[in-house]
Amino acid sequence: MLALKPLTPLIALGLFFVAWNLSGGLLESNSSASKVQLLDWSEQMAVRDGWLDTRHEMLLPMMRRHSIDMWIVVNEEFHDDPLTEYIAPARPYTGRRDVFVFVDAGMDGLRKIAATGYWEETVARYFESPIDPRPSDEVLRELYETYSPQRIGLGFGGSRGMTRSLTHDSYRFLAEAMGSEAASRFVSAEPLINEYLATRIPGEFEVYTDLVALTESITKRALSNEVIKPGSTTVGDVRRFMYDELWMTGVRTWFQPDLRVQRQGMAEVGSRGFLAVAPEDIVLQRGDLVHIDFGISYMGLDSDWQKMAYILHTDEEDVPQGLKDAMENTNALQDALMLRASRPGRTAGEVYRLTMREMQEQEINAQIYSHPLGNHGHGLGPSIDFRSAGRTDVTARPLIEGAYISIELNTKTAIPEWGDQEVYVMAEDPAHLTQNGWRFFRPRQEDWYLVR
């Protein structure tokens, strides 16, 4: 028999995309678990191009609200700006320095100019982009002299990575290309970027719902006997299963899957105010509580998801009552936050205080660290979070109808069957804001996942 040579990365990638296309966007696995049908890449690009039309239509009013006369985004070779795929077609950009400019042209509306190293037909559908590109420094200087913008918004000075992504060298390039007078008018585009990325558009909803369903499907399989064999499966085994499922499904993650393990008699190990992530060499045993924190990136959107399982002892058919009560406490916290405290227009600080007041009345030991979702797993917008509860710059932000959020929280409850040892029941679910509070994209967890 001939020895088979290892596949080169390029050949392996090519075979993957052949399989991807033949499967209609989702590869079959050996599991009988439910599948979520995802779009092929060409379909994804077409849908995202439609979203870009909508976003560009919203941009000029946003620029005027934030007094930005010109907004410039610079994409570096092999160092993409995190804004590029949301302000321009989601394609690879390989120019040494590609520049995208939005100009408030007054009565003429919004001008959109791309000064790129290479002409691309898709870009030319959204921007003024000649087939023989001109040097970007000439384009920038000409635009400044034509419009004399008073405030030129750039990606610096923000508190988050998406709002401070302009490199030092690109800043210098813009200043030299446009001149010292223009450089004196450079301002942080943070408020504009915040609104642009925090605004959800109707077309994203169905895709995001599918994304959350896929996140749920992989997590349920990871927390089942398909993957976990009590006494032999390690934390690392579960994590590697999830990585492999991401590959087989044709999506990626924006953070590594984390597992936490609680066990009767096990000392609690903390990290930054939370239960610490479990080492990969821990073997999962009967009686363990296993928690997964997992998120998927798909079509420029991120999910964030946490669920918990109990590994039954051989003589058990269900979880102890104390653990059921602990799960109910976390559900009560979700209800207080989502259904009673949250309303459009109410500030994040108000929501946090109302929720915690109710938890104190119910004598539930609760912790809230919810954050916006959407284009990024830790998105822009109001956070309902104990860590920012005292910061008025965060808590004064009002909730916006239609926004997406990660309802991330936990409760800590003493378990009688464990000698009153306290356990955390942690949950995280994407939700969207309606007039009557937050609503989950998928049903929440009310019962423990069981591993037999």
Side-chain angles (χ1 to χ4, degrees):
M1 182 180 292
L2 293 175
L4 296 178
K5 294 182 179 180
L7 292 176
T8 67
L10 185 59
I11 294 174
L13 187 62
L15 290 176
F16 166 71
F17 284 121
V18 169
W20 168 271
N21 287 324
L22 289 175
S23 66
L26 181 61
L27 294 178
E28 294 293 324
S29 73
N30 293 326
S31 169
S32 60
S34 61
K35 304 297 192 298
V36 178
Q37 190 71 25
L38 302 183
L39 298 176
D40 291 330
W41 272 33
S42 58
E43 295 172 319
Q44 291 182 34
M45 289 188 289
V47 170
R48 293 189 69 177
D49 287 350
W51 294 351
L52 188 60
D53 284 325
T54 302
R55 289 203 170 277
H56 280 187
E57 290 170 3
M58 301 186 307
L59 182 53
L60 184 57
M62 290 182 183
M63 290 176 64
R64 290 176 176 172
R65 273 195 293 275
H66 299 291
S67 301
I68 299 293
D69 305 305
M70 178 182 286
W71 183 26
I72 304 174
V73 176
V74 182
N75 198 75
E76 300 273 7
E77 182 183 29
F78 307 124
H79 187 57
D80 289 340
D81 190 291
L83 290 169
T84 301
E85 65 174 308
Y86 304 109
I87 57 95
R91 305 290 195 278
Y93 292 93
T94 56
R96 292 288 180 89
R97 181 176 280 131
D98 295 326
V99 181
F100 302 93
V101 186
F102 301 91
V103 183
D104 183 347
M107 295 295 292
D108 293 329
L110 181 69
R111 278 194 69 189
K112 302 176 292 181
I113 302 94
T116 57
Y118 301 94
W119 183 80
E120 214 297 315
E121 182 176 353
T122 310
V123 174
R125 291 204 294 266
Y126 291 88
F127 293 86
E128 299 173 34
S129 178
I131 197 165
D132 186 14
R134 295 172 55 202
S136 56
D137 55 348
E138 293 180 10
V139 174
L140 289 163
R141 184 70 184 183
E142 181 180 284
L143 287 171
Y144 178 72
E145 291 174 349
T146 300
Y147 292 101
S148 189
Q150 297 301 300
R151 287 169 53 86
I152 303 171
L154 303 177
F156 68 82
S159 60
R160 304 289 302 281
M162 301 83 86
T163 61
R164 59 183 185 213
S165 52
L166 184 69
T167 68
H168 175 70
D169 281 352
S170 284
Y171 182 96
R172 289 178 55 192
F173 164 76
L174 293 174
E176 292 170 5
M178 301 176 75
S180 58
E181 181 183 81
S184 70
R185 301 180 182 185
F186 290 169
V187 299
S188 173
E190 180 181 31
L192 171 62
I193 297 169
N194 265 308
E195 183 178 2
Y196 187 82
L197 291 181
T199 301
R200 305 272 53 84
I201 58 177
E204 295 171 334
F205 190 88
E206 183 178 352
V207 170
Y208 198 78
T209 301
D210 289 341
L211 168 60
V212 177
L214 177 63
T215 312
E216 177 186 43
S217 175
I218 294 175
T219 304
K220 278 187 172 181
R221 292 174 58 200
L223 292 175
S224 76
N225 284 107
E226 178 186 351
V227 176
I228 298 176
K229 305 298 185 285
S232 61
T233 302
T234 66
V235 166
D237 292 334
V238 179
R239 176 180 273 180
R240 285 184 285 275
F241 164 81
M242 301 184 85
Y243 278 130
D244 291 343
E245 284 301 307
L246 290 168
W247 166 254
M248 291 296 292
T249 313
V251 295
R252 61 181 180 85
T253 184
W254 58 278
F255 68 98
Q256 65 179 11
D258 285 332
L259 281 78
R260 292 169 174 83
V261 177
Q262 298 173 86
R263 181 177 295 166
Q264 187 173 2
M266 177 187 285
E268 179 182 320
V269 179
S271 176
R272 300 181 64 212
F274 300 96
L275 187 65
V277 173
E280 287 198 348
D281 61 357
I282 285 186
V283 177
L284 300 177
Q285 305 287 355
R286 294 193 178 278
D288 283 353
L289 306 181
V290 186
H291 163 268
I292 280 180
D293 188 357
F294 179 53
I296 291 176
S297 298
Y298 171 61
M299 290 183 63
L301 298 166
D302 288 348
S303 64
D304 209 354
W305 189 258
Q306 293 181 36
K307 293 294 173 281
M308 298 194 68
Y310 177 71
I311 305 179
L312 292 166
H313 288 286
T314 54
D315 60 351
E316 289 180 316
E317 290 297 324
D318 202 356
V319 299
Q321 184 60 45
L323 292 178
K324 293 182 179 181
D325 294 341
M327 180 70 73
E328 288 181 3
N329 284 342
T330 292
N331 291 155
L333 174 57
Q334 291 170 325
D335 288 344
L337 171 61
M338 298 178 62
L339 303 181
R340 292 185 285 278
S342 296
R343 291 293 184 274
R346 193 170 285 172
T347 68
E350 289 177 285
V351 172
Y352 179 80
R353 289 189 293 273
L354 286 169
T355 305
M356 293 306 294
R357 185 182 306 152
E358 183 173 336
M359 290 298 96
Q360 290 167 4
E361 292 170 354
Q362 295 188 39
E363 298 183 342
I364 294 175
N365 185 353
Q367 194 175 41
I368 303 170
Y369 34 102
S370 299
H371 56 83
L373 283 172
N375 299 129
H376 301 91
H378 292 156
L380 299 179
S383 294
I384 307 168
D385 189 329
F386 76 93
R387 292 165 295 191
S388 58
R391 289 176 50 196
T392 56
D393 62 318
V394 176
T395 57
R397 297 176 184 173
L399 303 187
I400 300 171
E401 186 174 1
Y404 297 177
I405 197 172
S406 150
I407 301 294
E408 186 177 13
L409 38 72
N410 74 65
T411 61
K412 193 175 185 181
T413 305
I415 308 301
E417 295 88 344
W418 284 21
D420 284 335
Q421 178 180 331
E422 292 184 313
V423 303
Y424 294 92
V425 176
M426 296 159 277
E428 184 169 21
D429 299 81
H432 57 97
L433 188 62
T434 72
Q435 281 290 327
N436 297 312
W438 299 102
R439 294 294 183 268
F440 290 128
F441 283 90
R442 295 288 300 164
R444 69 181 179 185
Q445 181 176 12
E446 297 182 354
D447 298 302
W448 292 83
Y449 295 168
L450 297 180
V451 179
R452 299 185 182 277

